[in-house]
Amino acid sequence: MRETGLRNSAYGADKFGLKDLAAVHWNLTEAPLYEHAIRNGEATVVAGGALCAETGHHTGRSPKDKHTKVDALTENTVWWAGNRKQSQEHFDNMLQDFLAHAKGKQLYAQDLYGGADPKYRIRTRVYTEYAWHSLFIRQLLIRPERAELAGFTPDMTIVDMPSFKPDHKRHGGREGSDTQVAIDFTRKIVLICGSSYAGEIKKSVFTTLNFYLPAQGVMPMHCSANVGKAGDSALFFGLSGTGKTTLSADPNRTLIGDDETGWSPDGIFNFEGGCYAKTIKLSQEAEPMIWDATNRFGAVLENVEFDPETRIPDYNSDKKTENTRSAYPLDFIPNASRTGMAGHPKNIIFLTADAYGVMPPIAKLSPAQAMYHFLSGYTAKVAGTEKGLVGVEPEFSTCFGAPFLPRPPAEYGRLLRDYIAKYKVDCWLVNSGWTGGIYGVGRRMPIKVTRALVTGALDGSLKNASYHTDPYFGFAVPSSVPGIEPHLLYPMKTWKDKAAFDDTARKLVGMFQKNFAKYEQDVDPEVRAAAPEVRIAAE
């Protein structure tokens, strides 16, 4: 077996059971991984220097194909209402078949950290079939110093082989599906097959940390984070497309991370060493830092169209998918933190892209409302974002990350509530979605407005504003903010058809109430009382 690159020679691929491989390429850096990816026909270099790859018919994660092995550790600790079971026999069959499938193959291995805080990080070894997947995860997790690699031993092992096709009868999983992500929390093993979408790899690390950290009193969160010059850190929760990456990349604040963050008794810390930004409609004017990080050597683009002659990327094209992506290391962002750590947050922002156009651009939340909206995890999907989706559809994703929650949602909710109370954190709900009408009628909330309101929340200036109570959702909304069109703070005033607004707002309130019914028995009375309710008759 041929081996190249830096590695711990005393802890090789054989320790995991990988044998008779053609080659293992260990911890290769950007340039050689580019060479391998191009030589293998996996990807193309585009103008600006990024490596661009296609993921085939899987252009996003496959949450319905993720399965967790049931054993003594997981049987009574995993949230089975939100996770799919895999038997011990099925997992062992899959592992055995993975090892057999790998024989004769050339694999790429990266030794990386999940978690910036040494107290809580997980040492992760990732074997991939594709060179571009190896570059992807190298850019997105935390890279040890080169000198550390000679003694690196993994806590967790991920094996990613898109060419392996699961068998429903032998491996469990969904009948008829060609994809599976199998997780064994006891042995800390993840097997990924049938999908070339690289995001499955990074989310497997997040899911594992979500299982282990709460037992250590650490809150794992699907959120971005940044910190001001005075040490005032902030968290930005939100589902895909709500603005986590865009709003946390603030030129006046230091970026901690754009997607996954832990909150421990010592403060917050990034789980990753890179960013995974959506690039649909990316422009240099609107998002200069993300643009610069994306259009350079070392960035990895997924499913981005480009001119075949000039190889100039077309970020406005959704021909392959609207979920076009760019992966790049944090140090591509000029003001990114080099430690990935900061003190306890002063502010928490819950982001929602309300495509119904009835929520205000910003609202101040009470602690009970914060827990309610955290457990709700609301945003709205619009036509084109998913195959077969027409019009607008609400999405309630528990804790803004239901697919990544191994434990019961209330466990994360209580942990967050306790931290918010202990450190007296201000919580805000920000609508980065629509105003003036439902999607297709109204307009997207101007990014300049959203940025200005978020800045006001973070710098404390909104604390001096006067507030009114939103008659549909019950939270406090600023009555006026300098520089912001006054009617934006009163959503009904942005609609021409007031009766249509009232009808739409009442429908959304009902959706919130219906969705939250499944959590009511697990929360305190004040959280149940924080539910949206039409308190005032519409004028």
Side-chain angles (χ1 to χ4, degrees):
M1 181 176 68
R2 186 163 61 96
E3 295 188 85
T4 64
L6 289 174
R7 65 193 185 282
N8 180 353
S9 58
Y11 205 96
D14 60 306
K15 295 292 185 183
F16 186 73
L18 289 163
K19 298 176 181 178
D20 301 325
L21 301 173
V24 183
H25 302 289
W26 295 92
N27 297 303
L28 298 188
T29 56
E30 289 85 341
L33 285 171
Y34 264 60
E35 292 173 354
H36 278 266
I38 294 166
R39 188 184 305 127
N40 298 343
E42 301 171 5
T44 305
V45 179
V46 295
L51 189 70
C52 188
E54 294 186 25
T55 64
H57 69 285
H58 288 289
T59 57
R61 290 179 298 99
S62 301
K64 293 180 180 179
D65 292 308
K66 188 171 76 173
H67 293 75
T68 301
K69 193 195 78 175
V70 184
D71 57 22
L73 175 65
T74 61
E75 188 171 10
N76 297 314
T77 54
V78 166
W79 176 43
W80 293 117
N83 290 269
R84 290 167 176 79
K85 295 182 178 182
Q86 185 178 33
S87 71
Q88 176 81 57
E89 180 185 2
H90 282 147
F91 187 93
D92 289 346
N93 287 344
M94 195 168 183
L95 177 57
Q96 178 185 336
D97 293 348
F98 253 62
L99 298 176
H101 186 78
K103 289 182 179 181
K105 289 188 178 296
Q106 170 179 257
L107 297 183
Y108 300 86
Q110 292 286 339
D111 291 328
L112 303 159
Y113 294 133
D117 189 333
K119 286 185 183 179
Y120 304 110
R121 68 174 37 148
I122 187 167
R123 297 188 301 275
T124 305
R125 176 166 288 176
V126 184
Y127 293 101
T128 64
E129 194 172 3
Y130 297 156
W132 83 265
H133 276 190
S134 192
L135 177 60
F136 170 91
I137 200 61
R138 175 181 172 77
Q139 303 299 52
L140 281 183
L141 290 185
I142 297 169
R143 299 171 295 283
E145 296 294 330
R146 301 292 283 175
E148 296 177 61
L149 296 174
F152 189 98
T153 56
D155 303 312
M156 174 185 185
T157 303
I158 299 173
V159 185
D160 168 59
M161 289 200 295
S163 67
F164 183 95
K165 301 303 178 186
D167 179 272
H168 167 67
K169 291 182 179 179
R170 183 165 168 78
H171 306 131
R174 289 194 303 151
E175 188 171 3
S177 175
D178 64 352
T179 302
Q180 194 165 340
V181 179
I183 302 179
D184 179 343
F185 284 124
T186 299
R187 290 181 287 183
K188 297 187 178 72
I189 296 171
V190 179
L191 307 175
I192 303 171
C193 63
S195 174
S196 297
Y197 183 70
E200 297 284 16
I201 309 172
K202 96 178 198 93
K203 288 304 184 186
S204 297
V205 179
F206 183 41
T207 301
T208 301
L209 289 169
N210 281 349
F211 180 76
Y212 284 101
L213 290 182
Q216 301 176 62
V218 177
M219 176 64 189
M221 302 171 291
H222 185 210
C223 70
S224 59
N226 63 25
V227 60
K229 294 176 182 177
D232 53 314
S233 65
L235 304 176
F236 299 79
F237 287 89
L239 300 174
S240 178
T242 56
K244 289 196 314 299
T245 299
T246 298
L247 292 168
S248 57
D250 185 330
N252 298 311
R253 296 172 66 84
T254 299
L255 178 66
I256 302 298
D258 85 322
D259 195 43
E260 300 165 6
T261 310
W263 190 355
S264 79
D266 302 319
I268 62 172
F269 62 97
N270 190 11
F271 286 172
E272 301 180 300
C275 297
Y276 194 29
K278 291 190 75 170
T279 59
I280 192 70
K281 296 182 173 60
L282 176 66
S283 73
Q284 190 169 18
E285 179 184 4
E287 300 174 273
M289 289 194 293
I290 296 174
W291 173 274
D292 290 343
T294 294
N295 292 282
R296 60 178 286 184
F297 178 83
V300 179
L301 305 186
E302 285 183 326
N303 299 314
V304 173
E305 282 283 309
F306 57 87
D307 185 289
E309 293 184 7
T310 65
R311 296 197 186 177
I312 294 174
D314 180 3
Y315 297 114
N316 290 318
S317 174
D318 61 359
K319 183 178 178 181
K320 294 171 185 172
T321 175
E322 188 159 313
N323 189 36
T324 53
R325 294 275 184 165
S326 169
Y328 49 84
L330 268 170
D331 56 23
F332 280 17
I333 300 293
N335 63 335
S337 169
R338 294 301 178 257
T339 66
M341 300 169 67
H344 298 290
K346 288 187 66 177
N347 290 278
I348 289 177
I349 310 288
F350 296 126
L351 295 164
T352 179
D354 176 29
Y356 293 96
V358 296
M359 299 187 86
I362 194 166
K364 182 82 164 59
L365 303 181
S366 69
Q369 288 172 331
M371 186 170 176
Y372 182 95
H373 285 280
F374 176 67
L375 288 174
S376 296
Y378 166 72
T379 193
K381 297 179 289 187
V382 298
T385 57
E386 286 188 9
K387 185 177 180 180
L389 181 60
V390 179
V392 178
E393 185 176 297
E395 181 176 12
F396 292 93
S397 185
T398 306
C399 307
F400 294 96
F404 324 118
L405 301 183
R407 294 178 178 273
E411 192 170 333
Y412 301 99
R414 285 189 289 268
L415 196 51
L416 182 67
R417 177 197 61 192
D418 292 346
Y419 270 121
I420 288 172
K422 184 173 182 179
Y423 297 104
K424 298 178 173 60
V425 184
D426 287 330
C427 298
W428 309 82
L429 185 74
V430 170
N431 174 20
S432 60
W434 275 257
T435 183
I438 197 168
Y439 167 78
V441 177
R443 59 168 175 151
R444 191 76 191 255
M445 195 73 69
I447 185 63
K448 291 182 179 179
V449 169
T450 304
R451 281 196 183 280
L453 291 170
V454 168
T455 297
L458 301 187
D459 67 18
S461 60
L462 281 186
K463 286 189 175 182
N464 301 321
S466 59
Y467 285 82
H468 65 276
T469 300
D470 184 276
Y472 295 90
F473 297 93
F475 33 54
V477 180
S479 298
S480 64
V481 177
I484 303 298
E485 300 171 49
H487 63 285
L488 286 176
L489 299 165
Y490 296 83
M492 181 181 279
K493 293 183 179 180
T494 67
W495 284 52
K496 291 181 180 178
D497 188 336
K498 308 304 185 199
F501 174 91
D502 179 64
D503 182 58
T504 304
R506 288 172 184 268
K507 284 181 180 177
L508 184 56
V509 167
M511 293 174 193
F512 267 96
Q513 294 170 343
K514 182 179 179 181
N515 171 74
F516 202 79
K518 56 182 173 285
Y519 308 122
E520 287 184 344
Q521 62 183 10
D522 298 319
V523 299
D524 299 330
E526 59 266 29
V527 177
R528 292 196 293 272
E533 182 182 350
V534 181
R535 293 165 169 79
I536 304 170
E539 295 177 1

